[in-house]
């Protein structure tokens, strides 16, 4: 077994030498004058590097299997201590005040993440803005996931003159660090507006944690004149109750500003608080973005836990049920897969278009089998206390009287089909304080008698 283990280690060293050769070629590709030619060559080299990484990972798995047969758990942890360090970093993590956020995001980990000798000396001269973030300590092993990521950060994807050419660049340097350091399942989505109607615009980038959109970004390329900072507020509906803030960023090409969306319930207003601005064309700032991503990943977990306790709901979410897809954002879009079902639902909504306190169709797109619904409601919010409950029951009764007068019945009167109406309000939390009307959501209508 010792012989086999040595053979595996030798092959890993051989692969690492090949990767060094590829990275040397990548350096030349970046600095040559003939940009068009060398960009094409760079893509070929990156693909070659990707295959070498895959081979390295396979060898590492084999190494782990061999170690598992003949070593202790402590020795295995020394091989790649990344997860243990992430768990330790979460101890006593609290949600800082907005005024403390900048310092929090710049704070180094309790213990620097160990990387390979090769990677550390590549970054050694760029640690001025992220001191004590990484180190080289053979006794502590190597965090291979981070090691690989830093190799890509050193030479990120090429960009062009359009916004779309920056997508891989922003994903690599802004989004990927958050995902890398997270112990929870994060779901990121880009340009989700392409699935919804033109009036139901969503942020350019959404990060969902426990089905809450706690991370979002607005991005503009060199060819775009709009202000991404203003769009952060314009595309936000505050459904997050007493959460202190949401985390976000806005990007103008390589200039990225990390910020927080802070809601003032008394003034019914949400503001963007700028925290840190980085220039991703500067190598030191790219490493700083990885450190910021490490701290954001910890904070997103705490915000999601607080959101679950408070019972808040996301302003943007999707779900699929009963043959339809529903996109909820600044509006509600319902898309039906089956034409027959779409036509049946259309007839139902047509028959109740004058019903008080009921969901209504604003627009119809027959080609896509899509309804645009109004108003945008809160699903989880319930009628409390007694005065709210009384108003809710009166509104439900008004709707039922109208329906029964048309020889229609609802057939599913439950609280899950009664929603809080926040129409004519951009801010749903203010709607909670001002409007107590409830909406009767269509379930399954039928003809009476």
């Amino acid at each position: 077994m010792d012989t086999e283990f040595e053979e595996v280690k030798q092959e890993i060293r051989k692969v690492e030498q090949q990767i060094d050769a590829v990275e040397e070629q990548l350096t030349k590709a970046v600095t040559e004058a003939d940009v068009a030619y060398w960009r094409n060559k760079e893509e070929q080299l990156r693909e070659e590097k990707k295959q070498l990484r895959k081979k390295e990972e396979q060898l590492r798995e084999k190494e782990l299997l061999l170690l598992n047969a003949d070593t202790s758990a402590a020795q295995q942890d020394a091989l790649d201590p990344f997860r243990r360090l992430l768990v330790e970093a979460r101890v006593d993590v609290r949600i800082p005040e907005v005024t403390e956020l900048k310092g929090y995001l710049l704070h180094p980990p309790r213990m620097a993440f160990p990387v390979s000798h090769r990677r550390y000396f590549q970054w050694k001269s760029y640690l001025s803005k992220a001191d004590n973030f990484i180190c080289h300590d053979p006794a502590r092993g190597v965090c291979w996931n981070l090691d690989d990521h830093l190799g890509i950060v050193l030479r990120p994807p090429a960009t062009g003159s359009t916004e779309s050419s920056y997508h891989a660049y922003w994903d690599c340097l802004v989004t990927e660090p958050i995902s890398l350091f997270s112990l929870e399942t994060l779901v990121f989505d880009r340009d989700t507006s392409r699935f919804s109607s033109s009036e139901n615009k969503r942020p350019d980038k959404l990060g969902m944690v426990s089905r809450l959109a706690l991370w979002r970004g607005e991005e503009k390329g060199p060819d775009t004149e709009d202000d991404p900072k203003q769009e952060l507020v314009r595309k936000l509906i505050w459904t997050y109750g007493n959460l202190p803030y949401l985390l976000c960023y806005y990007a103008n090409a390589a200039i990225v500003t990390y910020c927080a969306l802070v809601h003032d319930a008394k003034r019914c207003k949400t503001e963007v608080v700028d925290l840190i601005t980085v220039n991703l064309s500067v190598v030191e700032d790219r490493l700083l973005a990885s450190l910021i991503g490490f701290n954001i990943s910890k904070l997103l977990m705490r915000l999601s836990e607080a959101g679950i306790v408070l019972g808040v709901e996301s302003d943007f979410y999707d779900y699929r049920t009963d043959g339809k897809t529903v996109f909820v954002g600044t509006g509600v879009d319902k898309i039906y897969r089956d034409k027959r079902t779409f036509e049946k639902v259309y007839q139902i909504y047509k028959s109740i278009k004058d019903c008080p306190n009921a969901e209504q169709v604003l627009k119809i797109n027959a080609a896509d089998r899509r309804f645009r619904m109004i108003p945008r409601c809160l699903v989880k919010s319930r009628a409390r206390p007694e005065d709210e409950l009384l108003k809710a029951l009166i509104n439900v009764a008004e709707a039922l009287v109208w329906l029964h007068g048309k020889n229609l019945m609802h057939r599913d009167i439950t609280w899950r089909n009664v929603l809080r109406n926040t129409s004519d309000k951009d801010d749903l939390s203010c709607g909670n304080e001002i409007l107590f009307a409830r909406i009767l959501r269509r379930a399954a209508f039928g003809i009476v008698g």
Side-chain angles (χ1 to χ4, degrees):
M1 183 173 291
D2 289 341
T3 303
E4 186 178 3
F5 180 67
E6 285 302 319
E7 288 176 355
V8 171
K9 289 183 68 176
Q10 287 175 10
E11 194 165 354
I12 287 178
R13 282 194 289 269
K14 182 179 178 181
V15 171
E16 287 180 340
Q17 289 172 359
Q18 291 174 314
I19 290 174
D20 285 336
V22 171
E23 290 185 342
E24 185 179 350
Q25 292 299 318
L26 280 171
T27 304
K28 293 178 181 178
V30 171
T31 58
E32 288 294 334
D34 192 350
V35 176
Y37 171 80
W38 285 110
R39 276 188 180 167
N40 182 53
K41 187 68 175 176
E42 183 183 26
E43 290 302 319
Q44 295 175 7
L45 290 169
R46 285 193 184 279
E47 182 59 32
E48 184 179 349
K49 181 178 177 180
K50 182 179 177 181
Q51 297 303 318
L52 289 170
R53 291 289 189 199
K54 188 179 293 186
K55 185 176 181 181
E56 183 186 28
E57 189 62 34
Q58 291 171 350
L59 290 169
R60 196 173 296 134
E61 289 177 3
K62 189 174 181 181
E63 185 180 27
L64 283 169
L65 289 173
L66 290 170
L67 282 172
N68 189 49
D70 200 35
T71 59
S72 66
Q75 287 172 300
Q76 292 180 47
D77 182 65
L79 183 70
D80 190 343
F82 191 51
R83 183 172 180 81
R84 174 178 55 78
L85 288 173
L86 292 181
V87 172
E88 291 176 355
R90 300 301 175 91
V91 177
D92 298 329
V93 173
R94 63 180 181 84
I95 299 178
E97 300 291 333
V98 176
T99 53
E100 303 172 312
L101 262 179
K102 180 177 179 179
Y104 176 90
L105 295 182
L106 294 174
H107 198 274
R110 293 185 175 189
M111 295 185 67
F113 292 98
V115 295
S116 65
H117 178 274
R118 172 171 57 96
R119 191 69 69 213
Y120 180 73
F121 280 91
Q122 283 179 329
W123 281 98
K124 188 176 180 181
S125 59
Y126 301 119
L127 297 177
S128 58
K129 294 185 179 181
D131 190 31
N132 202 38
F133 181 45
I134 61 172
C135 68
H136 174 62
D137 185 352
R140 295 179 58 204
V142 174
C143 296
W144 289 108
N145 288 345
L146 177 59
D147 195 87
D148 289 347
H149 170 70
L150 292 178
I152 300 172
V153 169
L154 200 58
R155 301 175 185 86
T159 58
S161 58
T162 63
E163 181 177 321
S164 60
S165 71
Y166 274 81
H167 285 174
Y169 185 79
W170 290 319
D171 285 346
C172 171
L173 301 177
V174 178
T175 304
E176 181 58 30
I178 299 173
S179 179
L180 175 69
F181 289 110
S182 179
L183 292 172
E184 295 75 35
T185 300
L186 303 183
V187 179
F188 294 100
D189 202 357
R190 176 185 294 286
D191 291 337
T192 47
S193 292
R194 68 186 185 277
F195 297 116
S196 57
S197 63
S198 58
E199 302 92 339
N200 196 3
K201 289 296 184 183
R202 296 186 167 200
D204 291 337
K205 193 73 176 183
L206 271 180
M208 306 291 291
V209 191
S210 302
R211 297 184 63 81
L212 295 175
L214 302 176
W215 170 253
R216 59 191 67 206
E218 289 297 331
E219 303 160 337
K220 301 300 174 187
D223 61 337
T224 313
E225 296 182 356
D226 295 339
D227 185 354
K229 183 175 181 178
Q230 291 181 0
E231 289 193 4
L232 281 171
V233 175
R234 185 171 63 82
K235 295 181 182 179
L236 171 74
I237 308 171
W238 190 267
T239 60
Y240 298 92
N242 291 325
L243 275 186
Y245 45 76
L246 304 181
L247 297 173
C248 53
Y249 71 95
Y250 60 90
N252 286 287
I255 307 301
V256 174
T257 299
Y258 294 89
C259 47
L261 283 162
V262 182
H263 180 67
D264 186 335
K266 291 182 179 179
R267 295 190 299 149
C268 294
K269 186 177 181 180
T270 303
E271 297 178 338
V272 179
V273 177
D274 290 347
L275 301 172
I276 305 162
T277 299
V278 297
N279 183 350
L280 297 179
S281 63
V282 177
V283 179
E284 290 90 344
D285 280 20
R286 295 204 289 268
L287 185 63
L288 179 61
S290 291
L291 172 61
I292 293 171
F294 162 70
N295 287 311
I296 286 175
S297 71
K298 297 188 296 180
L299 190 49
L300 286 176
M301 180 190 70
R302 291 295 182 233
L303 287 172
S304 70
E305 291 173 350
I308 292 171
V309 171
L310 293 171
V312 304
E313 61 183 83
S314 183
D315 56 338
F316 292 99
Y317 61 91
D318 310 331
Y319 66 89
R320 292 163 175 79
T321 180
D322 298 332
K324 69 176 181 288
T325 302
V326 182
F327 297 99
V328 181
T330 52
V332 180
D333 292 341
K334 297 182 179 181
I335 305 170
Y336 288 81
R337 292 196 296 269
D338 180 65
K339 183 179 179 181
R340 198 171 181 179
T341 304
F342 171 79
E343 291 174 347
K344 181 181 178 181
V345 172
Y346 169 71
Q347 291 300 323
I348 292 172
Y349 278 121
K350 186 178 179 181
S351 67
I352 65 165
K353 67 182 181 67
D354 296 321
C355 180
N357 308 322
E359 246 184 348
Q360 300 292 336
V361 175
L362 179 64
K363 289 185 179 180
I364 299 173
N365 186 330
D368 294 338
R369 296 190 289 277
R370 179 197 303 268
F371 294 110
R372 167 78 168 181
M373 310 302 300
I374 55 172
R376 166 68 160 90
C377 300
L378 288 173
V379 177
K380 293 183 180 179
S381 182
R382 291 291 177 257
R384 308 259 193 307
E386 271 186 26
D387 59 340
E388 290 188 35
L389 180 59
L390 179 60
K391 290 174 183 178
L393 291 172
I394 289 172
N395 284 333
V396 170
E398 287 176 351
L400 292 176
V401 167
W402 188 94
L403 288 171
H404 295 168
K406 301 292 183 181
N407 289 331
L408 296 171
M409 60 185 295
H410 188 282
R411 300 197 306 187
D412 192 13
I413 304 298
T414 62
W415 280 116
R416 66 183 176 84
N417 283 324
V418 179
L419 312 179
R420 185 182 293 274
N421 176 15
T422 56
S423 59
D424 300 323
K425 295 289 175 183
D426 293 330
D427 184 325
L428 298 197
S429 66
C430 290
N432 284 345
E433 297 169 8
I434 299 169
L435 299 176
F436 296 103
R438 299 291 238 171
I439 294 300
L440 183 65
R441 180 167 57 178
R442 183 202 64 81
F445 286 92
I447 303 298
V448 175

